[in-house]
Amino acid sequence: MSKLGLLVRIEAKPEGAEAVGQLLRDAVDLARAEEGTVSWYAFQEGPTVFGVFDTFDDEEGRDAHLNGRIADALREIAPTLLAAAPEVKRTTILAVK
């Protein structure tokens, strides 16, 4: 069982919501290429609110993801498409079904 996670909340500007959603859909291939990322989910909560939840076996995998290509892409679009910086929470997985 993976024991570490990240929960990321991303709020787009209204005019950037479609582009942010597409970026997240396209990012699945980048997540698949990350050896340390065990699972990766992108989701949408509302018209402009998105999120990512991912899991890792160790801190090295989580840190690599936080410094990887998906994070770089979010940093790149942040000034023009995001309403605020992504909110990143480190989590510990307690149970899995």
Side-chain angles (χ1 to χ4, degrees), residues 8-64:
V8 182
R9 184 178 185 276
I10 303 162
E11 186 170 353
K13 294 177 182 177
E15 65 275 15
E18 186 175 325
V20 171
Q22 188 61 53
L23 180 144
L24 292 174
R25 283 187 288 277
D26 293 343
V28 70
D29 290 329
L30 297 175
R32 285 182 183 133
E34 294 177 346
E35 290 184 28
T37 301
V38 176
S39 62
W40 185 89
Y41 303 89
F43 57 91
Q44 187 168 4
E45 291 181 11
T48 61
V49 179
F50 300 85
V52 173
F53 177 72
D54 25 27
T55 64
F56 312 89
D57 287 330
D58 53 40
E59 200 62 55
E60 292 79 21
R62 183 160 60 180
D63 287 342

